[in-house]
Amino acid sequence: MKLIAIDMDGTLVSKQLKVTKANKEAIQRAREKGHVVVIATGRSFDEARYTLGEADLHLPLICVNGAEIRNEKWEKVTSIPIPFKQYFNVEKALRANNIYYEVYTSEGTYTDNREKAFKVMKDIVLTSNPDATEDDVHKAALRRFKLGTVKYIKDYDLLMEKEGLEIYKILAFSSEPDKVANSVERLKQIDHLAVSSSANNNLEITNADAQKGAALEKFAKLQNISLEDTMAIGDNYNDVSMLEKVGISVAMGNAYDEIKSIAKFVTKTNDESGVAYAIENYLEERKTSLA
């Protein structure tokens, strides 16, 4: 493998939302051997860079499920936004089912309800770490909220007035499955949208060309690397598009069974530094099989 793509939540970071020492060292060794490592996350750039900066890892980034690609210096390389016309159609579909949502943009992530935003953060943490205690979840969510990576705005219509702003992703959330299902049916009627999920009760809505798999393919071409020479590691449904494209696909030990079933290998959990285990044990697999 020449390229390694790694998801963040539930994959690279532990339930404390930190990169483990073993994962960091494994990534550093891989890079020293000449492998390119890219982080592919549903997070915004602001949130992703904080966690990576804490670990002193300066890696290329595929952010917001592929809506944005940044180089090793964290400069924007490409972006694939949702056109405003599509956004208004998405808004109608979600509002019709009274579903709360957040807007990920080129200027940060916005919420129009602070209380619901905190609940969403707790859900994101718990989804990636189902065995975490309530105290762990609360502290991790509070930490993310205090970072200021989610901004409050009274009305999302005010975003449309910001010159040059791009909408990258809409994260919708509801604890009522019927409302989520109804929204999905309405969203399917909107052209050129991708609707994925990182939990049973959320929807991640992006431009159809802004998925991890498509972004990874674009990134690999920029590096002159074949996807056959690429390993991807993930744990959730928004990782499927990249796991299906690469030469070596690895699911985390804490991944859903459906994700495990499509991967070539299953590594240890995120709390057991499963990324490090995968790099150390599966990276040379294709080379060995071709020998």
Side-chain angles (χ1 to χ4, degrees):
M1 297 296 106
K2 297 176 182 177
L3 172 61
I4 308 169
I6 307 170
D7 170 53
M8 284 194 76
D9 291 294
T11 301
L12 178 64
V13 298
S14 65
K15 66 183 178 184
Q16 283 79 33
L17 301 180
K18 292 182 178 294
V19 179
T20 66
K21 181 181 178 182
N23 282 349
K24 175 183 176 179
E25 291 176 349
I27 288 172
Q28 289 174 328
R29 286 193 296 270
R31 298 182 76 202
E32 288 168 2
K33 292 178 180 178
H35 302 289
V36 177
V37 180
V38 61
I39 301 302
T41 179
R43 290 190 187 191
S44 66
F45 167 61
D46 285 338
E47 194 171 7
R49 71 173 172 176
Y50 181 86
T51 300
L52 293 175
E54 273 192 325
D56 197 25
L57 284 174
H58 293 274
L59 304 168
L61 286 167
I62 293 171
C63 303
V64 213
N65 281 350
E68 189 177 66
I69 296 177
R70 290 180 178 259
N71 62 23
E72 193 172 323
K73 295 180 180 179
W74 292 345
E75 301 164 330
K76 187 189 296 186
V77 177
T78 65
S79 63
I80 305 176
I82 298 172
F84 283 178
K85 181 179 179 180
Q86 281 182 305
Y87 163 75
F88 288 122
N89 288 332
V90 170
E91 180 185 41
K92 286 180 183 178
L94 298 176
R95 295 296 190 197
N97 287 285
N98 196 29
I99 287 186
Y100 165 78
Y101 69 92
E102 296 170 2
V103 184
Y104 285 56
T105 78
S106 53
E107 295 186 13
T109 304
Y110 289 87
T111 178
D112 62 356
N113 187 313
R114 291 188 180 93
E115 183 180 349
K116 287 186 177 180
F118 184 68
K119 289 181 179 179
V120 168
M121 286 194 179
K122 290 181 70 173
D123 177 73
I124 291 171
V125 174
L126 186 60
T127 297
S128 299
N129 306 278
D131 296 329
T133 65
E134 175 63 25
D135 187 55
D136 282 337
V137 171
H138 185 85
K139 286 180 179 177
L142 186 62
R143 177 169 170 264
R144 291 174 80 169
F145 200 72
K146 285 183 175 179
L147 288 176
T149 53
V150 177
K151 306 171 186 178
Y152 172 76
I153 192 166
K154 185 178 181 180
D155 191 324
Y156 287 140
D157 285 345
L158 296 174
L159 288 177
M160 307 305 120
E161 300 174 6
K162 291 179 175 287
E163 187 175 351
L165 178 132
E166 293 182 324
I167 298 175
Y168 291 154
K169 182 176 80 170
I170 298 165
L171 176 64
F173 176 86
S174 175
S175 58
E176 300 180 55
D178 288 346
K179 288 186 176 182
V180 174
N182 289 336
S183 294
V184 169
E185 289 305 309
R186 291 183 65 117
L187 291 168
K188 284 180 180 179
Q189 299 174 31
I190 302 173
D191 290 337
H192 215 65
L193 280 184
V195 182
S196 61
S197 173
S198 57
N200 291 328
N201 50 7
N202 78 22
L203 297 174
E204 298 195 357
I205 305 157
T206 61
N207 186 305
D209 296 324
Q211 300 183 66
K212 288 188 181 183
L216 180 58
E217 185 172 9
K218 183 180 295 185
F219 180 83
K221 286 182 179 177
L222 291 172
Q223 301 293 322
N224 293 315
I225 297 174
S226 166
L227 286 175
E228 279 298 311
D229 293 324
T230 299
M231 179 168 77
I233 311 172
D235 75 304
N236 223 311
Y237 295 106
N238 62 346
D239 297 316
V240 170
S241 64
M242 70 173 182
L243 292 174
E244 291 180 334
K245 283 180 176 286
V246 298
I248 296 291
S249 54
V250 182
M252 297 298 294
N254 49 283
Y256 290 111
D257 288 341
E258 187 177 348
I259 308 303
K260 292 177 181 178
S261 70
I262 69 170
K264 185 170 184 178
F265 297 104
V266 177
T267 185
K268 295 182 178 181
T269 70
N270 59 327
D271 262 0
E272 298 171 316
S273 299
V275 166
Y277 186 86
I279 290 174
E280 292 163 359
N281 289 275
Y282 309 139
L283 195 59
E284 302 299 318
E285 173 65 24
R286 183 167 177 270
K287 183 184 293 184
T288 302
S289 64
L290 294 176

